[in-house]
Amino acid sequence: MSDLPPPPGPDYRPGSAQPLLNRPVRERYPQIRSTSGYGDPRIRHTGPGPGAGSEQEPERSSKLNARLVLALTVVIGQLWALTVTVDEWMTGNTHTAWWGAGFLVLSFLVVIGLWLLDPKDR
């Protein structure tokens, strides 16, 4: 009985230079059965639970977004003030440059104040 030749396999279409990769999926991965996945009776619920992906705390999210907008506005103002201050310093207007430096320090203190506003959000 062992002298019988194996039954002819299906006609494989070569898609790879390696013959082992040209086998059908069921031969390459025998652990994957037709009942795997959606047909498996052990799987009752697919995907995340109810409410996943939706905002759980909209008040906190809106508060954080508002603080982020304020902080970004201050940072953009700091970049503008730094540009103006350096330009004034280079042209020799040191009086205006010192006012610009004061504005930069005040802006930095505003950002620190925003950061210290609600420590439980960190």
Side-chain angles (χ1 to χ4, degrees), residues 51-121:
S54 63
E55 183 57 51
Q56 302 296 322
E57 299 179 59
E59 294 84 11
R60 180 176 180 265
S61 175
S62 63
K63 181 173 59 171
L64 290 175
N65 285 338
R67 285 173 52 193
L68 180 66
V69 166
L70 284 173
L72 288 175
T73 304
V74 170
V75 167
I76 290 170
Q78 284 178 329
L79 290 172
W80 171 79
L82 183 63
T83 303
V84 170
T85 302
V86 169
D87 187 41
E88 291 295 318
W89 183 269
M90 294 303 237
T91 57
N93 298 332
T94 57
H95 183 70
T96 308
W98 282 113
W99 279 107
F103 176 78
L104 287 171
V105 169
L106 182 65
S107 297
F108 180 73
L109 292 176
V110 167
V111 171
I112 294 296
L114 287 172
W115 183 69
L116 292 173
L117 195 61
D118 201 359
K120 68 179 172 140
D121 280 338

Side-chain angles (χ1 to χ4, degrees), residues 27-40:
E27 289 182 19
R28 281 186 282 162
Y29 304 103
Q31 70 272 20
I32 298 177
R33 295 178 300 282
S34 60
T35 59
S36 296
Y38 69 91
D40 195 337

